[in-house]
Amino acid sequence: MKQFFFVALLILFLSGCAGTNFSWDSVDELEEGMTVNQAMEIMKTKPYANSITGNQQMMIWSYAVYTNAKSVSLLFEDGKLKTITKVNPSVM
């Protein structure tokens, strides 16, 4: 088991990145009230995580390169974009 984790960590380290890359320019095009399909078309990549609970859906794009990281989460309610949360946009 330890060997598996070591190999996984080594692969992650050698690749130098993790997550789903995205563009801040794309994020800046998003507007509240957009549908899930409209937002996906603008983001151009699949989200790193996608969760649906009741009438809410959360999509997260997160990307890390060595010590720098960026993330954006989109909260949809009843199929419409309600909240855009950016994390660390000035680093990347």
Side-chain angles (χ1 to χ4, degrees):
M1 187 62 115
K2 286 182 180 180
Q3 185 178 12
F4 171 78
F5 289 116
F6 175 75
V7 171
L9 184 61
L10 182 62
I11 290 170
L12 182 61
F13 177 75
L14 292 175
S15 68
C17 60
T20 302
N21 201 3
F22 64 93
S23 161
W24 286 122
D25 292 335
S26 294
V27 174
D28 291 339
E29 291 181 40
L30 298 170
E31 297 177 7
E32 289 183 14
M34 286 183 162
T35 66
V36 172
N37 288 339
Q38 289 172 321
M40 289 289 295
E41 187 175 313
I42 288 172
M43 291 301 290
K44 298 179 181 105
T45 60
K46 292 183 179 181
Y48 183 72
N50 186 10
S51 175
I52 300 172
T53 305
N55 69 335
Q56 293 187 330
Q57 180 173 0
M58 174 72 72
M59 297 177 141
I60 300 171
W61 283 261
S62 183
Y63 189 69
V65 179
Y66 301 107
T67 59
N68 295 322
K70 62 182 180 177
S71 180
V72 64
S73 64
L74 307 180
L75 175 64
F76 295 86
E77 194 168 285
D78 296 321
K80 301 288 184 180
L81 183 55
K82 182 177 180 180
T83 307
I84 302 167
T85 304
K86 299 176 185 179
V87 177
N88 213 14
S90 62
V91 173
M92 300 294 268

